Structures are given as C-alpha cells and as structure tokens.
C-alpha cells in the first residue's frame, strides 16, 4: 500500500538555528505514528509546517499522492490535516454541540437550527464512542472530556490526518485509557494519527511506527516497532547511552533537619507529620489530588495553615509567610513553574537575584556587579544554556527555567531544606539527568530534600525514602531497600472513594 | 521597511529616536518653538503630569492602577491653601497637604492590598470621595491665598528655571534611581511580571503595594501644592481628567499595563510628547477641541508601536 502522508526533504531555519534539516519519512494509512524527540528536537516545528502555520524553507509534503502547496492553515485544513494542541481551542461558554458547529452553524431561514445542531452531534459522538452530553457547556467538562470534544470536532470536519501534541500531559490515567481506545477506533476508520509524546510507555502501547528527531535531524525511523526496545529509542533521542538516567548514589545521612508536626490546612484537614534528615532525599508519591502539593504549600507558608508546626534543626519556623520559611532555610521550587516559579518579562539575572539580593543590597540599594557575578556563577555551575544573563527567562526551555529557579535558591547562602515539586515535568531526558545530579550534590552538602512527583519511576529512582500520600494523608513510607513499585502504587490507590474536602 | 530602520524603531530606544526626530522636525518648521521662553513654558505645562507620572509608573509596573490621582492633586492643593490660611504658616499648610495626600494613597493601598479589592474599583471610588471632600471643604468655590509668599513656590527661579521644573527633574532622577537601582524598584518589576511567583520568592507583596500607593499619594500632594501656587488658589475642580493624561503618558513611554515593564526615560519621553503636541498646536493656533483628537491618536499610535515591538521580541521564543 502506498504511503498516505509523506514528508520529503523538509528543512526550516530560524535566525540562528536550523530547526529542521532534510527530514523525510512516510506514514501509511490507518496507522498511529509516533513522533519523539527531546525538547527543541524539531517536533513542534514539523507539526507547525504540517498544519500550515509556518512554511518550510524547502521540501515537500505529499498527502494521498498529491503534492501539497500549503500557504496557510486553511490549506492544511482543506487537505484534511488537523492538529490538536496542548492548549485546547474550545469556547468554554458554549455547549459541546455549539463548539462542534462553530463557524458553520446549521441555519434555517437565518435562525440557528438547534435541533439539527444537537442531533447530528450526538450521532457523531456516538459513532466514535464519546460519551459526552452535547448540551453541556464546555466549561463544565474535565480536561479529558474537552480533549475528546476537540477530537470529535476533527472527525466532524473530516480530518484525514490528526496530530495530537502531548495529549495525555494533563489527563488522569483513566482518561488516558479512554483516549487510547478512541485512537484505536479512529485508526480502524483509516485515519492517520500523528502522536507526539515524551512518554515511551504510551508510544509503545499505541504506535505502529515511529520517527525520532534529534537536533532537527532525522535520528531514526521505525516502520514497525517490532524488536525496538525502549533503551534503543532513548539512545536515539539523546544520541548517547543513558543506561541509568537516575544515577542514584548512596551518601551520608545525618541528623533530623526538618520536622513537620501535625500540619493541617483548609484543603488538608487531617494533620500530617513527618521528618527529613540532613542529606536525605524524601520522595512524595501519590495520585493527582492526593494532597502532595497542598502539603508542600502549607509547609512553605504559601497557604495559611490551621494547625501544626514546622521546625528546622529544632527551631520552629513562624507560619503562613514564605519569607519566614526562606529566612529559616526552607525553599520551594513550585509545581507550576509558569504561574508560581518564573518571573516573566524579567532577565535570568533578576530571576536569580530576586530573593538573595536582600543580603547584599545595603539600604535597599542594588549592587549590580554582584548580581551579575551571581548570575554568571549559577549559569556556569548549573549549566544553564543561554546566550546571556540578560535573556528574558520566558525564552528558556523548561529545564533551563527549572535550573534558574534552583539558582535563585542556591544563591541564598543558608538553604537547609529544598522542596522541589515535579522537578522534571516538561523537561527533556538530557536535562532531567542534570537536574537529578544537582539534587544529589545538594543532598551531599547536607541539605534535606523533598521531591514531589507523580512519576513513580522518578520517585523510586532518586529517593532515599518514599512517603506515599493518599486522600490527604501519608498512607505508607518505604526505605530505599524496600522499594517495590506495586506496593507503592497500591498504597497510593484509595481503597474507597473518600472525597478530599 | 528596511531591516536596520525597523531595528532602530522597534528596539529598546525606539521611542527616544522617534521623539528626537519629531522634536527636530517641530523645531525647524514651527516658528517660536525653539525659544527659551517657549521651552520653559512647555516644561511648566507638563509639571503636574510629569510629577504624578513618576509614581504612576511604579503603580502600573506592579500591575496596579490608580484613577484617584487627579482628585488627590486637587484635594491636597485645597488643603495646602486652607491650612496655610488657617494657621498663618505656609510651612504648616504644606505639611498638612503632604500628610493628607499620603493618607489618601495609604487608604487606597490598604484597601487594595489587604482587603484585596480590585485597584480599578477602589481608586474609582476614592477618586469620587476625595473630589467630594475637596468640593465640600470649600463649598465648591475657589479659595484664595492670604499670604502672597505662597505664590513664590511656583514663581521663584533657580538658575533662571522655575522651581516646579526643578522639582520635576529631581523627582525624575529620584524615581529613575528607585526603579533601576533599588530592591524596592526591582521587586515592583518582579511583582508586575508574576505576583504569585514573587510572593513565593519572598517578596512582601502586600506591604510593597501599600507603599506604592502611599508614595503615589505623597507625590500627588507635591503636584497639588505646586499647581495651587501656580493658579494662585485652591481649586476644587483642578486637575480633572489628570489620571487619564498621566496613564497615557506612561503607556506612551512603554510602561506595560500588564506589569513588569517600565523605564523612567520612556516615561519622561511620554510626558514630553504629550506636552509638545499640545504646545505645537497652541503655537499653530489650532483650536483646542482638536487637541483631544490628536492626543488620542498619539496614544493609539504609541500602543500599536509597542505591540509591534513585543511581537518582534516574542518571535524569538
């Protein structure tokens, strides 16, 4: 069977970067094709070219045996290509049915034909097996359901090629399963699905064929995944063997550094107690909604607590204000870097110095040379990849932004407890290993570290001890020798549905 | 447009370049523009806007908003005059005005930062309340000054330049320093960039916001005193619409309403552009009604330019 979608010698450059060079591969009809690569490997650029968002400098796209001369997103749409981005493009205040018809409402005598509107939508939704009420407002749907609606829209528009960009990044595992069965059905209908993901498990579960990009070049193309191992794909992505990306090593563990006693708050009504020793990495694992991040925010003073104390080296930290925690040596790298971590529009230099500058600014007057030196030190030490310390932080990749936030806290001299929430979310494999190494070095210097993660392999890979949270309390704790993924996961699953107030 | 020209116009100093060009063109083609007398008159005319723009810049840069400045200027002018008359001491009058102005700002700040009421709504309310106080205290009439020495605040000169202009220049320098060289200023920009991230990074967001509004009130009082001295009385209806001119000047000068971006040089240029447009139209005998249209057009153009600029910067990402 001839290839349905074919990329031929696609190249695209931006000022200073060759984003894609000479990419060629083909995808069969009725196939789910994986597209993998580290951040910056060129996946997004390729998808933008496919969707007509941008045009290639050279090269051709062939669909169903005809050369596509795209100049706009409209052309791509007419050729049957629809891209579903991570940020969904639905109107929250309209119903599902209205969203699916948006821009071409069925009309009778100038009035919207609501009967037809709803009827055809419910038929379509049923045909592809999506259980969503067409009369419900999109605002009332979960993220997973919205994604379904988005896919239904693509099907309604007769898309022949549907590209999904990191579709599961904000889905629960149950929602992901529903998505996967939908993808299977679409495949059976002869659609091409381009599946872009960082998650190897999903790619191996779903895809028939796979393309790996690295630094804008084609690193590998597998027309079948038979006999292809995960390690091989990782190697192709990073271009080097990462046999053990965790790189955990044993280290000296000292006295108790952080003691959390009977901590509770509005969202976490049941008191929580635990402690962390100097040099120890304590991993917190739990499902989404188990209360890990809420616990972190209470501990750090970002949210007001109801009860409990937090002490560092035996000294009680005053509650409910991050400034007290920082002063006592507790620092937080938050879960949501974009909203709680980086200061957009300001330089790397300012993002690093924002907290620690109070130590070296006599009478509140800045010493710019000191700030510049500090920034350069951490850019070098943490290997932050940037042309200059003056660069706006928004222009950095996720991994480098995380490093800047680490730099912000390391420039505080007396850090004793580092809390890092989802340390590597949205960060590529190479940068992950670097961040783990930074954490090990900090632990070796005697800092107590709390890592919160929803990726079990990560928690198991880097922690000395794991606390499992479930329904707002600590359900179990395991020392490293006792790590067992099945036991940990079992402890994280609620045995009965208890609402976390 | 060719690329190097584009680079200059859309670069950091694009506005300054445009300003210099416009200034040169006006200086050549408009008669009587580039005379000492007209230049000093021009600067005199922007003193109130210029002074208040200093703190409005901080306010906008931290993602806040203040509509009450016009009322506060009028109110503190009234207080300066009335307290001077009542006590017979100009000094006491000035102190009273400065305290009252700061108090208005402080109340704004506390309501906005502590009680978390939207800044737009809060200052819309205080704008009316304070204007009301100004009218009530004078029964709606202008209040004359008993001691003619009060006029000297605006009339006195140093090195041939009137005192109000000196005050404005000193404030420009002071607030330029505060914005770029102090922890306070940098924290303002950080707060504007991302308030929650700044709070988690140890910036005391609540007290910073209160300080910014209190400073704004104090600076309004300074502007109010100088204005009252220049118009030789306390006018309860003085400075109406000032808030919009000041915000326009700041936005013209590249201060982002989304917070996190501001520069003193930009604001100075913004203030001067507003002043020059008005001045030139006066010199050319253009009817005052047209000035509204021109001011509005200038503001729109400036915002469009700003949009192009951030678009050009954003492409890199």
């Amino acid at each position: 069977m001839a290839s349905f979608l074919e990329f031929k010698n696609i190249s695209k450059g931006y000022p200073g970067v060759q984003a894609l060079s000479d990419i060629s591969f083909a995808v069969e009809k009725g196939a789910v094709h994986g597209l993998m690569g580290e951040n910056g490997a060129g996946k997004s650029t390729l998808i933008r070219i496919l969707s007509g968002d941008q045009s290639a400098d050279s090269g051709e796209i062939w669909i169903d045996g005809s050369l596509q001369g795209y100049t706009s997103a409209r052309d791509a749409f007419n050729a049957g290509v629809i891209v579903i981005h991570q940020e969904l493009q639905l109107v929250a205040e309209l119903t599902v049915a209205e969203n699916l018809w948006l821009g071409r409402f069925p009309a009778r005598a100038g009035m919207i034909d609501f009967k037809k509107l709803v009827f055809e939508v419910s038929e379509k939704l049923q045909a592809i097996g999506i259980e969503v009420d067409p009369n419900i407002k999109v605002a009332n749907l979960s993220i997973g359901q919205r994604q379904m609606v988005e896919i239904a829209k693509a099907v309604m528009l007769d898309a022949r090629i549907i590209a999904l960009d990191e579709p599961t990044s904000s889905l629960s595992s149950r929602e992901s399963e529903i998505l996967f069965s939908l993808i299977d059905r679409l495949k059976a209908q002869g659609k091409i699905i381009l599946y872009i993901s960082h998650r190897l498990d999903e790619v191996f579960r779903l895809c028939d064929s796979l393309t790996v990009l690295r630094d804008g070049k084609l690193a590998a193309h597998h027309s079948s995944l038979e006999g292809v191992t995960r390690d091989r794909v990782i190697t192709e992505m990073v271009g080097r063997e990462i046999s053990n990306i965790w790189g955990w090593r044993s280290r000296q563990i000292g006295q108790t550094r952080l003691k959390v006693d009977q901590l509770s708050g509005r969202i976490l009504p049941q008191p929580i107690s635990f402690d962390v020793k100097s040099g120890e990495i304590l991993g917190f694992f739990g499902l989404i909604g188990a209360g890990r991040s809420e616990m972190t925010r209470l501990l750090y003073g970002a949210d007001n607590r109801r009860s409990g104390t937090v002490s560092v080296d035996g000294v009680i930290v005053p509650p409910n204000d991050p400034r007290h925690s920082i002063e006592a040596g507790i620092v937080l790298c938050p879960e949501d870097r974009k909203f709680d971590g980086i200061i957009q529009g300001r330089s790397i230099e300012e993002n690093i110095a924002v907290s620690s500058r109070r130590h070296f600014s006599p009478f509140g007057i800045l010493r710019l040379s000191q700030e510049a030196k500090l920034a350069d030190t951490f850019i070098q030490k943490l290997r932050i990849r940037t042309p200059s310390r003056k660069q706006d932080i928004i222009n950095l990749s996720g991994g480098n932004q995380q490093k800047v936030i680490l730099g912000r806290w390391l420039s505080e001299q007396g850090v004793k407890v580092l809390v890092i929430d989802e340390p590597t979310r949205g960060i590529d494999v190479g940068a992950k290993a670097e961040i783990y190494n930074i954490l090990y070095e900090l632990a070796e210097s005697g800092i107590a570290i709390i890592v919160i993660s929803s990726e079990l392999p990560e928690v198991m890979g880097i922690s000395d001890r794991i606390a499992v949270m479930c329904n707002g309390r600590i359900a179990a704790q395991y020392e490293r020798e006792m790590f067992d993924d099945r036991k940990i996961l079992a402890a994280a699953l609620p045995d009965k549905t208890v609402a976390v107030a | 447009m060719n690329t190097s020209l584009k680079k200059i116009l859309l670069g950091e100093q694009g506005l300054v370049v445009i300003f210099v060009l416009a200034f040169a063109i006006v200086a050549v083609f408009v008669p009587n523009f580039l005379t000492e007398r007209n230049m000093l008159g021009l600067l005199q005319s922007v003193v109130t806007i210029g002074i208040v723009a200093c703190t409005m810049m901080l306010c906008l840069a931290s993602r806040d908003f203040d509509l009450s400045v016009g009322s506060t200027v009028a109110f503190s002018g009234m207080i300066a005059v009335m307290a001077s008359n009542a006590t017979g001491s100009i000094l006491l009058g000035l102190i009273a005005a400065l305290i009252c102005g700061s108090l208005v700002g402080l109340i704004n700040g506390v309501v906005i930062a502590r009680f978390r009421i939207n800044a737009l709504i809060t200052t819309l309310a205080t704008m009316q309340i304070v204007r009301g106080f100004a009218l009530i205290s004078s029964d709606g009439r202008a209040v004359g000054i008993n001691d003619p020495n009060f006029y000297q605040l605006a009339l006195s000169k140093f090195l041939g330049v009137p005192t109000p202009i000196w005050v404005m220049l000193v404030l420009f320098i002071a607030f330029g320093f505060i914005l770029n060289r102090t922890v306070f200023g940098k924290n303002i920009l950080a707060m504007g960039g991302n308030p929650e991230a700044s709070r988690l990074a140890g910036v005391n967001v609540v007290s910073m916001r209160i300080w910014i509004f209190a400073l704004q009130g104090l600076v309004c009082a300074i502007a109010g005193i100088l204005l009252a001295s220049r118009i030789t009385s306390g006018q309860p209806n003085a400075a109406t619409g000032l808030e919009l001119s000041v915000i326009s000047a700041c936005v013209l000068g590249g201060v982002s309403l989304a917070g996190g971006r501001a520069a003193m040089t930009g604001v100075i240029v913004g203030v001067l552009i507003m002043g020059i447009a008005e001045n030139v139209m006066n010199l050319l005998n253009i009817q005052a009604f047209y000035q509204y249209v021109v001011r509005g057009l200038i503001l729109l153009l400036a915002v469009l330019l700003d949009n192009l600029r951030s678009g050009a910067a954003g492409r890199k990402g």
Side-chain angles (χ1 to χ4, degrees), chain A residues 355-397:
Chain A
S355 171
S356 59
R357 59 160 63 108
R358 69 185 193 285
H359 298 300
F360 54 82
S361 304
F363 307 107
I365 292 168
L366 304 178
R367 279 166 52 194
L368 297 178
S369 60
Q370 186 84 12
E371 294 197 6
K373 219 169 76 190
L374 206 61
D376 284 337
T377 309
F378 285 104
I379 287 171
Q380 202 179 29
K381 206 164 158 185
L382 304 177
R383 273 177 281 157
I384 299 170
R385 281 175 204 89
T386 170
S388 128
R389 60 170 187 271
K390 297 281 182 202
Q391 181 75 252
D392 185 343
I393 191 165
I394 203 89
N395 294 333
L396 300 187
S397 68

Side-chain angles (χ1 to χ4, degrees), chain A residues 300 302 323 342 346 364 366, chain B residues 181 183 186 194 199-200 204 260:
Chain A
Y300 184 59
R323 289 184 306 141
I342 64 168
R346 309 309 305 173
L366 304 178
Chain B
R181 290 305 189 92
V183 174
K186 284 292 179 195
N194 187 342
R199 185 176 79 94
L200 295 180
N204 193 342

Side-chain angles (χ1 to χ4, degrees), chain A residues 479-491:
Chain A
E479 294 293 334
R480 191 167 178 93
E481 311 75 80
M482 307 294 288
F483 284 1
D484 175 337
D485 49 0
R486 291 170 60 187
K487 270 192 205 154
I488 293 173
L489 197 58

Side-chain angles (χ1 to χ4, degrees), chain A residues 297 300-302 322-323 326 338-344 346 350 354-355 357 361 364-366 368 395 408-409, chain B residues 177 180-184 186-187 189-190 193-194 196-204 260-262 315-317:
Chain A
R297 289 178 61 90
Y300 184 59
R323 289 184 306 141
I326 296 167
K338 192 167 155 210
F339 289 104
D340 297 336
I342 64 168
I343 298 168
Q344 297 95 331
R346 309 309 305 173
E350 289 183 24
V354 62
S355 171
R357 59 160 63 108
S361 304
I365 292 168
L366 304 178
L368 297 178
N395 294 333
R408 172 188 299 168
W409 294 130
Chain B
F177 185 82
N180 295 316
R181 290 305 189 92
T182 66
V183 174
F184 184 66
K186 284 292 179 195
N187 281 351
L189 291 169
N194 187 342
E196 180 61 8
S198 302
R199 185 176 79 94
L200 295 180
V203 174
N204 193 342
R261 198 153 49 82
R315 273 285 165 212
K316 276 182 257 162

Side-chain angles (χ1 to χ4, degrees), chain B residues 108 110-122 209:
Chain B
N108 275 336
V110 169
V111 172
I112 291 164
R114 277 245 186 278
F115 303 119
R116 297 170 186 241
I117 311 287
N118 179 296
L120 203 69
I121 304 298
T122 306
R209 291 176 87 187

